[in-house]
Amino acid sequence: MPRTALVLGGNRGIGLAVARHLAARGDRVAVSHRTGEPPEQLFGVHCDVTDADAVNAACTRVKEELGPVEVLVFNAGITRDRPLAAMSADDFTAPLQTNLVGAFHGIRPVLRGMMRAKWGRIVLMSSTVALSGAVGQTNYAASKAGLIGLARSLALEVAGHGITVNVVAPGYTDTDMVAAMPDAQRENLLSTVPMRRMATSDEIASAVGYLTGEDAGYVTGTVLRVDGGLGMGH
Ligand code: NDP
């Protein structure tokens, strides 16, 4: 059954792959973009996820154009890597504001509609770093680990309303975020991945597709690692 889906942070990288995956299965898909233009053939809404009013307005537009949001994928994320000893307060809080508080801003406007409909799917994009930690990423790892606590608590709150809340934890994925790393650092990281390669965005999108589909109705509060074995055991 086609659903109305919103991907927050859906204009490039993993978010765009998720949006295209959901559109290919027939969903009515909206994506948010903070910069640039919305991707072709997808309904775009402009918002910065750190701005609660802007996210509210974006959700209202999606509801008016495509119907109430039934599938929410919170994908927006930033890094601000530095060793903690050299980290300013702003370096620490910026990823928390986007990656974690942004998820709260995204969920709040759509949750009551899902509760009324007695059906909903929420997926939050975390990272294996939330489970294992990473040098230079205390801020990012804290934000991504926070998403797991948020998802599990919310899963408990809304399970009786037919709403599932899950987390996808990608490993290194071939997007702008990883391209920004120096070559030597990237090679070094890849040598730690059992499958010795990065994920494609489409591989992450498939996991989101499963968790947001009809078949995953009994899967909630889970963390699905898609990381080539990197986070095994966590
Ligand atoms: P990209 O840097 O390619 O894309 C980031 C996305 O987040 C863009 O759509 C960007 O929008 C959006 N975004 C960032 N800040 C904001 C904001 N304040 N408001 C709204 N949108 C915002 O990242 P990836 O595709 O690689 O990553 C997607 C998600 O997956 C992120 O949450 C990331 O942490 C996570 N992840 C990525 C991994 C990787 O190896 N690539 C590994 C593990 C997790 P805009 O273009 O407008 O800035």
Side-chain angles (χ1 to χ4, degrees), residues 120-123 155 158-159 162-166 211-212 216-221:
R121 297 280 189 269
I122 297 173
V123 170
V158 297
I163 302 168
T164 66
V165 189
N166 290 292
L211 289 171
T212 57
Y218 204 57
V219 180
T220 196

Side-chain angles (χ1 to χ4, degrees), residues 120-146:
R121 297 280 189 269
I122 297 173
V123 170
L124 309 180
M125 197 61 69
S126 179
S127 166
T128 46
V129 163
L131 307 169
S132 60
V135 171
Q137 294 200 315
T138 51
N139 48 2
Y140 180 76
S143 71
K144 294 299 187 179

Side-chain angles (χ1 to χ4, degrees), residues 1 20-21 65 71 102 137 174 176:
M1 175 177 175
R20 296 224 183 277
H21 184 97
E65 294 291 327
V71 173
Q137 294 200 315
D174 194 5
D176 296 345

